[in-house]
Amino acid sequence: RPRLPASASYVAFRTLCTPMTEIAGILPAHRIRELFDTGAIASTRPLDADQIQPASLDLRLGPVAYRLRASFLPGGGSTVEDKLDYLALHELDLSAGAVLETGGVYLVPVLESLALPDAVSASANPKSSTGRIDVFTRLITDHGVAFDQIAAGYHGRLWVEISPRTFPIKVRSGSRLSQVRFRRGDARLDDAALASLHARFPLVDREPRFEHGLTLSIDLAGAGEGALIGYRARRHTSVLDVDVKAAQEIDDFWEPIKARGRTSLILDPDEFYILVSREAVQVPPETAAEMVAIDPLVGEFRVHYAGFCDPGVGHAPAGGKGARAVLEVRSHDVPFILDHGQTIGRLVYERMVEVPATLYGQGMGSNYQAQGLKLSKHFRPQSAS
């Protein structure tokens, strides 16, 4: 019998004694690899070396993009291609790269397709680096009635809708803007289970508040007067290449926001902000998490376009000391005031089927382990002072 790693829990122990088909949970990297090996996931070209993450798979754009008149869902009686016949305005060749303009809606088939087992479903989310540059992406399937949801047993192609909101972006075939997470059944942890987990692995660096997940609040005080507390996106910038790291100057794309006196911030309508949570959180190895917005009745703003948090985020043995949640925030319709400590989102945790062999932050080129306020990987680092 294999020896359990020190960080493993009853979930991993159950895995040793129970067939995977009977365990509800998120599939780890080696189980995603098995889906490729068995033909449940297929691709028109070999996988990238780092394409499979601890609890998710990056999706790669295909060779063509369609500029659309409007976003859509195919509905139960149609395929995506049925709708393209009258919604597509023109095609863009992505083989050598193309610019997607702000305000446009584009649809791109991805290189991966699915033939899932009946017990396996999936959901999608923008990658962290995609959300942090205000690129709105949603996954669509044939006969789909909801964005970002893949029904159990789905057989067919996958498409990604892309809408750059602030910066024009350059993409190409193989660019990775979205990720997909595979699961068996419903493995969400209720508040009682979260409290029990917190007793073993502190999920947050302060007294936790569990309300259908771990509740998070906004940090608008920072380290004191003059401290950097966020960024506001500039308009009318140059093109941002999504595949090039550390190539852009922060000041060309962002205005810094610094703490000054009153710890509040007025969000201007339809402007984009990068802010950070007051709490430092961790995702223990036996779990995966997703950031979700709070009830919209508390304010006319949206938070966190890219929500997946892999096992090991902020976890000390994986090189973390807790990670602040970086928040992508946009106000709608009217100006809205955020105050320091205001509730702004929550983390929903799910059990893993098994503890991944490699956690987030362990030699996988992770960009955001033990993060504080941090922009996407596309920008050159600079002092936060």
Side-chain angles (χ1 to χ4, degrees):
R1 176 172 296 190
R3 183 179 179 183
L4 287 172
S7 60
S9 71
Y10 70 95
V11 176
F13 177 75
R14 248 181 93 201
T15 301
L16 299 177
C17 308
T18 310
M20 191 182 72
T21 55
E22 298 178 10
I23 299 173
I26 302 296
L27 272 58
H30 65 281
R31 295 297 187 186
I32 297 173
R33 173 67 68 175
E34 288 178 4
L35 293 178
F36 273 99
D37 294 341
T38 59
I41 306 175
S43 177
T44 58
R45 72 186 198 199
L47 290 174
D48 296 344
D50 60 346
Q51 191 175 345
I52 299 178
Q53 300 296 316
S56 61
L57 170 72
D58 292 350
L59 299 176
R60 298 172 296 180
L61 301 184
V64 62
Y66 300 91
R67 174 70 184 266
L68 301 180
R69 293 162 52 192
S71 176
F72 70 93
L73 281 168
S78 302
T79 67
V80 173
E81 288 185 315
D82 292 337
K83 299 286 188 178
L84 280 177
D85 289 341
Y86 65 93
L87 287 176
L89 297 175
H90 60 267
E91 298 181 16
L92 288 78
D93 183 2
L94 300 186
S95 56
V99 173
L100 307 186
E101 301 287 351
T102 56
V105 181
Y106 302 86
L107 190 67
V108 183
V110 301
L111 299 179
E112 293 74 31
S113 60
L114 300 179
L116 293 178
D118 290 342
V120 176
S121 63
S123 60
N125 230 305
K127 289 174 61 64
S128 292
S129 295
T130 305
R132 295 186 198 197
I133 56 173
D134 200 18
V135 176
F136 190 47
T137 72
R138 301 189 289 195
L139 183 134
I140 304 175
T141 65
D142 290 336
H143 313 293
V145 296
F147 293 109
D148 290 332
Q149 301 301 311
I150 304 173
Y154 175 76
H155 285 52
R157 302 178 70 185
L158 302 174
W159 306 71
V160 173
E161 177 189 296
I162 306 168
S163 182
R165 303 295 305 276
T166 298
F167 311 131
I169 60 171
K170 185 174 184 179
V171 300
R172 56 192 53 78
S173 182
S175 295
R176 291 148 50 177
L177 301 180
S178 299
Q179 56 192 168
V180 64
R181 179 172 279 178
F182 301 91
R183 60 173 53 80
R184 293 179 180 273
D186 183 355
R188 287 173 293 182
L189 296 174
D190 62 20
D191 290 346
L194 285 175
S196 177
L197 182 64
H198 178 74
R200 294 185 291 119
F201 296 107
L203 302 180
V204 64
D205 64 345
R206 61 184 63 236
E207 187 67 25
R209 186 155 60 96
F210 300 119
E211 295 178 4
H212 307 292
L214 174 63
T215 299
L216 299 181
S217 61
I218 191 76
D219 181 7
L220 296 178
E225 186 79 15
L228 182 69
I229 59 171
Y231 295 92
R232 172 174 162 161
R234 298 183 186 275
R235 297 285 188 172
H236 315 297
T237 67
S238 60
V239 174
L240 197 157
D241 191 321
V242 301
D243 296 323
V244 180
K245 294 182 180 181
Q248 303 291 346
E249 294 291 344
I250 290 176
D251 290 342
D252 291 338
F253 289 79
W254 301 95
E255 300 175 22
I257 303 172
K258 297 189 176 182
R260 46 180 187 151
R262 183 178 298 171
T263 55
S264 62
L265 175 67
I266 297 178
L267 303 177
D268 290 324
D270 293 322
E271 296 296 325
F272 183 69
Y273 300 82
I274 295 292
L275 304 172
V276 70
S277 71
R278 193 169 54 143
E279 300 83 3
V281 302
Q282 73 159 307
V283 182
E286 66 198 61
T287 66
E290 181 177 0
M291 174 70 79
V292 297
I294 57 174
D295 191 324
L297 293 178
V298 304
E300 292 298 322
F301 62 90
R302 177 191 172 105
V303 61
H304 225 286
Y305 288 69
F308 285 164
C309 299
D310 276 339
V313 167
H315 186 59
K321 297 179 181 179
R324 301 292 183 97
V326 171
L327 308 167
E328 302 104 22
V329 180
R330 178 184 293 279
S331 182
H332 297 296
D333 300 329
V334 297
F336 187 81
I337 296 178
L338 286 178
D339 291 312
H340 176 69
Q342 182 171 341
T343 298
I344 199 168
R346 68 182 188 273
L347 276 179
V348 174
Y349 286 76
E350 296 182 78
R351 297 183 186 91
M352 296 292 297
V353 165
E354 297 171 84
V355 173
T358 302
L359 301 176
Y360 186 89
Q362 290 182 330
M364 300 187 68
S366 307
N367 293 291
Y368 308 118
Q369 181 65 297
Q371 69 181 358
L373 176 65
K374 189 173 184 180
L375 295 172
S376 72
K377 62 187 179 183
H378 308 98
F379 300 98
R380 298 188 184 104
Q382 67 178 30
S383 171
S385 61

